[in-house]
Amino acid sequence: MLKTISKRELWLSVSYPTHRGGIYCKEGQCWRCAGTEQCDAFQAFHINPSLVQKFLKPLLIGELAPGEPSQDRDKNSQLVEDFRTLRKTAEDMNLFRASPLFFSLYLAHIIAMEALAWLMVSYFGTGWITTLILACILTTSQAQAGWLQHDFGHLSVFKKSSWNHIVHKFVIGHLKGASANWWNHRHFQHHAKPNIFQKDPDVNMLHIFVLGESQPIEYGKKKLKYLPYNHQHEYFFLIFPPLLIPVYFQIQIISTMIKRRFWADLAWAISYYMRYFITYIPFYGILGSLSLLTFVRFLESHWFVWVTQMNHIPMEIDCEKHKDWLSSQLAATCNIEQSFFNDWFTGHLNFQIEHHLFPTMPRHNFWKIKPLVKSLCAKYGVQYEEKPLGKAFVDIVGSLKKSGDLWLDAYLHK
């Protein structure tokens, strides 16, 4: 029998079964990994697993008997062992050790852009050209702060989790006006089960889009037509990039902080808005400052959507198939070719494969582990996909069109 848990506990829980016999709940939803061996997922998300083990006993909600059905029997045990050897190799190479200089300079260039924006409006006034350049600078600052908070959120900068959490709240709260707890809850579900329906919130499209191959056919057979999905590759440009951050995320973040009583996150977010309006109201007034902020969010949303979706939407999106850690992450992610611009523009999410396999690894080390990951994939016939940045953007639209066509065919003929 499993322990009954409340909605509050469900919000705070995610299953991290460290061995086949035990199901533990922490920071997600218990049913996401329950009943499967999750050593690799557990290892991936914690920078000090031995410390975390001490807190697992009170979180134990059930035991799987030896005779219980297992989802792990079809996994390649040798592949699993070789991946764990690869992780040990990465540890021996000190690839989980962050460079203080890298992250210090990264934060400095964000603060420099914020200062430059203020200096511009101070010296050149509020003309249209100045305001447009100002908006582009602030958009760049916000996008880069988004990539930086991602680093701290994944505990990939400091050796102690607590230091990462503190700076994470500062970056995502004071520099961006968002919630660390909201981001953690959402993003770690995505990492644990990428592109898995009902487990990855990033593929919950609220009936606005249909993704992959199975979902559009299912919708078509059931004659579900919330929107004309055969045109989703066209209305994507009107709905997804322009509205995700300024509308959907803003509503979700604010409502989550209030409903879940994340008062510390709310205080950090308020500090961002206070700083912003104190800086720009003297130049643009209340309405003008609000319009500028909305425009910046609008521009940032385009940047964010294209970068974050290029690695996932064109890949396999389906129901749970209980694959091993390496295979499940490679099926759902792809890489973008490396260049200085691509590294900076995407926040090193052009190394999405390495990031998903080793989320606590500092991003400046991804290029070092990449050849070893490719070698392991080649050994076991696991597809390692890498493409140019432009093709990755085109593939998003192409994937949406393919899914829409599958829906239309099923809707009309099945």
Side-chain angles (χ1 to χ4, degrees):
M1 294 293 290
L2 294 181
K3 171 187 172 185
T4 301
I5 57 179
S6 66
K7 283 186 177 180
R8 173 73 175 171
E9 289 174 306
L10 263 178
W11 171 265
L12 294 173
S13 66
V14 72
S15 168
Y16 286 126
T18 55
H19 305 285
R20 276 188 52 187
I23 303 172
Y24 299 86
C25 287
K26 194 176 188 295
E27 297 179 357
Q29 291 184 343
C30 296
W31 48 268
R32 298 192 182 276
C33 303
T36 59
E37 200 269 356
Q38 291 292 312
C39 289
D40 295 316
F42 183 85
Q43 187 77 22
F45 295 135
H46 298 95
I47 57 177
N48 191 347
S50 59
L51 176 65
V52 178
Q53 289 277 3
K54 298 178 181 179
F55 298 94
L56 286 178
K57 188 174 181 180
L59 302 171
L60 179 66
I61 64 169
E63 295 279 349
L64 285 181
E68 288 288 330
S70 171
Q71 305 289 353
D72 300 315
R73 293 195 177 98
D74 295 331
K75 296 179 181 178
N76 186 330
S77 59
Q78 189 58 51
L79 186 157
V80 172
E81 287 304 314
D82 282 356
F83 173 74
R84 291 173 183 172
T85 301
L86 173 60
R87 181 181 178 88
K88 181 63 169 60
T89 300
E91 292 171 353
D92 293 341
M93 293 170 64
N94 291 321
L95 297 186
F96 291 92
R97 181 176 297 175
S99 165
L101 179 62
F102 175 88
F103 288 106
S104 297
L105 292 176
Y106 206 92
L107 176 60
H109 105 289
I110 293 169
I111 295 174
M113 283 187 283
E114 295 277 349
L116 177 62
W118 178 79
L119 288 172
M120 276 195 59
V121 74
S122 298
Y123 281 90
F124 298 105
T126 58
W128 283 105
I129 295 178
T130 301
T131 300
L132 183 60
I133 297 173
L134 169 70
C136 292
I137 294 173
L138 289 178
T139 298
T140 304
S141 173
Q142 284 294 291
Q144 294 300 321
W147 307 145
L148 183 60
Q149 69 81 22
H150 180 260
D151 298 313
F152 290 104
H154 274 296
L155 314 179
S156 65
V157 182
F158 295 111
K159 293 181 180 180
K160 291 188 176 181
S161 296
S162 57
W163 295 357
N164 284 292
H165 289 310
I166 291 170
V167 182
H168 184 216
K169 287 186 180 294
F170 166 76
V171 176
I172 196 173
H174 186 67
L175 296 185
K176 290 192 61 63
S179 165
N181 285 337
W182 165 81
W183 184 88
N184 284 334
H185 175 70
R186 181 185 179 93
H187 195 64
F188 280 103
Q189 291 180 74
H190 160 69
H191 265 269
K193 296 291 181 178
N195 283 13
I196 302 297
F197 289 124
Q198 299 183 11
K199 295 187 177 183
D200 179 1
D202 287 1
V203 294
N204 176 14
M205 293 297 174
L206 304 175
H207 305 301
I208 298 175
F209 300 97
V210 288
L211 303 177
E213 297 183 1
S214 62
Q215 187 185 56
I217 293 174
E218 178 186 354
Y219 273 48
K221 287 182 177 179
K222 293 180 178 180
K223 309 306 176 186
L224 297 177
K225 187 181 180 181
Y226 297 97
L227 286 169
Y229 297 121
N230 53 310
H231 294 290
Q232 65 178 4
H233 62 290
E234 297 167 338
Y235 65 71
F236 164 83
F237 294 93
L238 302 175
I239 296 177
F240 206 166
L243 300 181
L244 182 66
I245 289 180
V247 178
Y248 179 64
F249 273 5
Q250 290 304 305
I251 293 173
Q252 193 178 68
I253 290 169
I254 294 172
S255 63
T256 297
M257 288 191 293
I258 295 173
K259 289 179 181 178
R260 299 296 171 182
R261 301 178 182 180
F262 296 150
W263 305 130
D265 284 8
L266 184 60
W268 278 111
I270 290 173
S271 75
Y272 163 79
Y273 288 104
M274 289 179 62
R275 175 176 60 84
Y276 172 82
F277 285 114
I278 288 172
T279 302
Y280 291 104
I281 283 179
F283 302 103
Y284 291 100
I286 296 175
L287 183 59
S289 297
L290 188 59
S291 299
L292 175 62
L293 178 60
T294 302
F295 184 54
V296 169
R297 297 289 195 210
F298 169 82
L299 294 177
E300 181 198 359
S301 189
H302 283 78
W303 189 332
F304 176 83
V305 167
W306 287 102
V307 169
T308 57
Q309 301 309 308
M310 66 183 181
N311 304 108
H312 293 300
I313 282 186
M315 304 303 291
E316 178 181 304
I317 306 175
D318 209 336
C319 298
E320 176 68 84
K321 293 185 177 179
H322 302 289
K323 297 180 179 180
D324 61 85
W325 181 253
L326 176 75
S327 300
S328 64
Q329 301 299 327
L330 268 292
T333 58
C334 67
N335 274 10
I336 309 303
E337 292 177 351
Q338 183 186 17
S339 70
F340 178 81
F341 174 78
N342 287 353
D343 291 352
W344 175 84
F345 183 73
T346 68
H348 286 86
L349 293 183
N350 51 328
F351 290 93
Q352 190 73 253
I353 291 173
E354 289 71 28
H355 170 58
H356 264 255
L357 292 176
F358 309 105
T360 60
M361 182 179 289
R363 57 163 129 151
H364 52 73
N365 287 333
F366 288 155
W367 67 275
K368 297 178 182 178
I369 195 66
K370 176 182 174 180
L372 301 181
V373 172
K374 291 184 71 174
S375 177
L376 181 61
C377 290
K379 177 180 178 179
Y380 289 98
V382 178
Q383 184 180 9
Y384 185 105
E385 187 169 347
E386 186 175 36
K387 61 185 75 170
L389 182 66
K391 184 178 187 304
F393 290 160
V394 172
D395 284 351
I396 296 175
V397 181
S399 177
L400 290 173
K401 185 179 187 305
K402 179 181 177 182
S403 297
D405 290 342
L406 288 172
W407 168 83
L408 182 62
D409 180 67
Y411 187 82
L412 295 176
H413 305 118
K414 297 182 181 180

